[in-house]
Amino acid sequence: MTPKVTTVPKADAERAATLRDELHRYNHAYHVLDDPLIPDAEYDRLFAELQRLEQAHASLKTIDSPTNRVGAPPLESFHQVKHRLPMLSLGNAFSEEELQAWHERLQGRLGDDENLIACSAEPKLDGLAVSLTYKDGVFVQGATRGDGFTGEDITTNLRTLAALPLRLQEHGAPAGQNSAGKNTKGKIQIPELLEVRGEVFMHKAAFTALNESQEASGQKVFANPRNAAAGSLRLLDSSITASRNLSIFIYALGEMSDDVASPAEHSAVLDWLQQLGFPVCDQRALCNGPQQCFSYYLSVQSQRQQLPYEIDGVVFKVNELALQQQLGFVSRAPRWAIAQKFPAEEAVTVLQSVDFQIGRTGALTPVARLEPVAVGGVTVSNATLHNMDEIERKDIRINDTVVVRRAGDVIPEIARVLLERREAKVEGGKRARRYKIKMPDTCPVCGSAVEQSADEAVARCTGGMSCIAQRKESIKHFASRRAMDIDGLGDKLVEQLMDEGLIDRVEELFGMSATALEALPRMGKKKVANLLQALEKAKATTLARFIFALGIREVGETGAANLATHFSDLARLRAAGIEELEAVPDIGPVVARSIVDYFSNQDYSTSVDALLEAGITWPVEQPQQSESDKPLSGHVYVLTGTLSHMKRDEAKQMLLAKGAKVTGSVSAKTTALIAGDAAGSKLEKAEKLGVAIMDEEQMRDLLGLS
Ligand code: IVH
């Protein structure tokens, strides 16, 4: 009997091969280069076409097919994989001195204390180490680190990572000009066996989105992006891994066959791997000696918050591979590499009590009073608890042992409760009782009733202007840099002025006498003169700033600017009804209601009149220009990062004047994101959504400034 042979039509086989090639290229451009070549819908169409061909002819499905990225049938368990070369750990340096000492030890071992040692410097990515094996350029196996000698086979899960090349090919550099390989044919050569190591991690934005959806569907929320990445990578069902948006950066070479020569320096190895299509972190640098290494550490530390992924330090590696060989290993860590970790951002302490702070719109924010603890180099004794929902979600109770987290200059918060400590019996002593945290019925400052409407997460003091806490906060806001920008009138001074009874309401700021001010403690003649001058100067403002300074609930900077452009006159704004307000860009029914409520409140209205009476003015804007004067009407921009020629606010005003809409967050409707220096999550989101990105120069062109 002859076996039944199904032949695949040649045209189908060729089409499938072409589709695989194209999809690999588009995928690499999108996920590794951040530079999409075709619209998403077109990618999806080609992907579906390949899927159809593979379904029709099973033999067309190769192990490097892009269709493998959607995941495979669930596994029973993971197989063990023995690493060809052990996966090592790294020694740590915790200070500049320790880094210096490391360099000196290396110089000693190499018998050369004249020359500085060149190091490849890279961020230390906070994820999980993996090893990837390629045979003839095709990804065949991926493994976890495990105990360093044996890991688990997570190939199918790793195949779902969009940035992981399923097949290697030359990218980017002109043929024959790369630093590696015997370039016999002028093309980069791919070794028969290539093993690389890297870190799998989850972007901060993907982590937030994952937790939101986990919570919405009543599933486990992850403590941090690292845990989320770990949890997602060790799933037996790779189709779930596929949905988790994991990322990867390659940071080292593992084993490699000798048919191709690898570069002689680690930095060149990374460049070469990048050319082969691997995602490699762009933050890397070459540093000579301890001082340059330490400056790199400081500079990465200062960018840490803006990076779209989490890092926990930097890694320095002796750049010359021959020197690495010479230096070798001690126990399980190489002598030629060291990690310099950032100070811990989490610490364990006890929640002693909870107070409620009143914001300018009356919102009650629970604040944790903690047993003081050092976190990331500073002592923390207070942390925000955000709102009651957050407390409930994390099940935080007074006397609980909690993990406090402080990242950069962000307000410290309680990351989680150590529940095992709640249950633990204290030996020989009594265990402190845990108390549930309750929202007070009345405002702790003014005693007015506290109310929470069904559609809001926050509860508010109903005292309005009669609550001194609300007045204090609104005056602080009024004086702040982005509002009236009253130089020298910071939060502390506002507190002092109110506590000493010099002012009671915002308008009284402009009626303070030098004599009364000079009578205050810590207020010299010079300081008083400066303050009065700053108040005088601040009176000349813009309508947008003034509206923002009023602190109307729900009206932020962008809303205020949009209102100013639309009404160009305060009287018109004050008289506007809900319907007219809703016609303003970005103003919806909730904001419109809040504006109407504000101006119809007698207390607030009196203040506004008195402020105008005190001499606050702004240039009268031209009423709505004709469409031809507004070349940017219908365009929506988002500004992010630091601009070098002007403040963001100025740029915003200029864009608005040309008819553009300026919003605070990137969406599919955004025309372009204008990204200054140190742009962070918005840039990432724009890239994800395929929204155009402009730099400052391009924006200046748009505004006719250059
Ligand atoms: S090199 C022999 N480079 O840090 C050197 N490791 O303790 C091997 N890591 O689990 C590591 N970013 O996964 C290296 N740029 C980087 C890294 C990095 C993160 C992790 C690695 C390992 C741990 C070492």
Side-chain angles (χ1 to χ4, degrees), residues 344-350 370-371 373-375 380-383 402-406 412-416:
E345 291 192 315
E346 286 191 348
V348 171
T349 188
V350 173
L370 307 163
E371 204 168 274
V373 62
V375 194
V380 170
S381 44
N382 302 311
V402 293
V403 175
V404 192
R405 200 180 149 74
R406 182 189 152 268
E413 59 174 9
I414 291 186
R416 58 190 178 276

Side-chain angles (χ1 to χ4, degrees), residues 88-90 122-125 129 145 199 251 315 317 334 336:
L88 302 159
S89 58
L90 287 175
E122 306 155 23
K124 187 169 189 303
L125 306 153
R145 177 171 183 271
E199 195 88 349
Y251 54 63
V315 183
K317 301 169 188 171
W336 46 264

Side-chain angles (χ1 to χ4, degrees), residues 75-117:
L75 302 174
E76 298 273 327
S77 65
F78 293 115
H79 292 292
Q80 302 253 300
V81 179
K82 242 186 136 34
H83 298 304
R84 290 193 171 77
L85 297 174
M87 291 182 78
L88 302 159
S89 58
L90 287 175
N92 289 315
F94 289 100
S95 64
E96 189 174 3
E97 291 69 38
E98 289 182 22
L99 181 63
Q100 169 94 32
W102 177 69
H103 272 268
E104 284 168 9
R105 278 202 305 278
L106 296 182
Q107 285 181 319
R109 283 206 158 252
L110 297 170
D112 175 6
D113 49 14
E114 296 279 295
N115 294 303
L116 296 175
I117 294 173

Side-chain angles (χ1 to χ4, degrees), residues 14 38 44 47 71 107 129-130 136 144 159 180 196 203 251 285 351 454 467 471 507 522 534 544 662 705:
E14 280 172 6
I38 54 163
D44 296 344
F47 192 91
Q107 285 181 319
V130 292
D136 293 321
T144 60
R159 275 208 182 100
V196 295
H203 276 82
Y251 54 63
L351 173 63
C467 175
R471 289 203 307 278
E507 58 268 30
R522 298 182 304 279
V662 178
L705 294 174

